Amino acid sequence: MYDDFTSSPSAQLMLGSLALLAGFFVSHGQVLGGGDQGGRWEYVSGAFATIVVERLTRGYYDVPFEERSPTMRLLHAFKVGFMYGIVLDALKFGG
């Protein structure tokens, strides 16, 4: 049933847009860190985010374009939104 739903172009557009926005939203929470004064959790959070992003990127580009599942495309859209939010926050905090 999921494959039937995600096969239509309008559902792909809607779910892809929601995945982009969700990634953007999650990036703002990740940038704030753990909220502690010492700043210890920022390094752990950054390392975890880097590992997840790199694993998603490798998994997405190892599979040929025609064989990528709808779930993998949605995870890639989430990753793109996440990275966009991280870069935007870096520019905001740095400038």
Side-chain angles (χ1 to χ4, degrees), residues 14-31:
M14 179 189 65
L15 290 174
S17 300
L18 287 174
L20 276 169
L21 290 173
F24 188 75
F25 178 73
V26 168
S27 73
H28 288 296
Q30 192 268 340
V31 165

Side-chain angles (χ1 to χ4, degrees):
M1 205 166 152
Y2 173 74
D3 290 334
D4 293 337
F5 178 71
T6 56
S7 64
S8 70
S10 61
Q12 290 177 2
L13 178 65
M14 179 189 65
L15 290 174
S17 300
L18 287 174
L20 276 169
L21 290 173
F24 188 75
F25 178 73
V26 168
S27 73
H28 288 296
Q30 192 268 340
V31 165
L32 295 176
D36 62 339
Q37 295 294 325
R40 292 178 296 274
W41 288 106
E42 282 89 3
Y43 300 112
V44 175
S45 175
F48 181 74
T50 302
I51 290 169
V52 170
V53 165
E54 291 299 321
R55 292 293 299 158
L56 283 174
T57 302
R58 178 173 289 185
Y60 183 78
Y61 288 112
D62 280 347
V63 178
F65 180 75
E66 298 82 22
E67 297 175 12
R68 291 181 188 148
S69 69
T71 304
M72 183 56 75
R73 285 183 277 180
L74 288 176
L75 286 173
H76 183 69
F78 180 86
K79 181 197 76 152
V80 169
F82 182 80
M83 292 303 295
Y84 179 67
I86 293 290
V87 168
L88 221 58
D89 279 335
L91 291 174
K92 178 174 63 175
F93 289 139

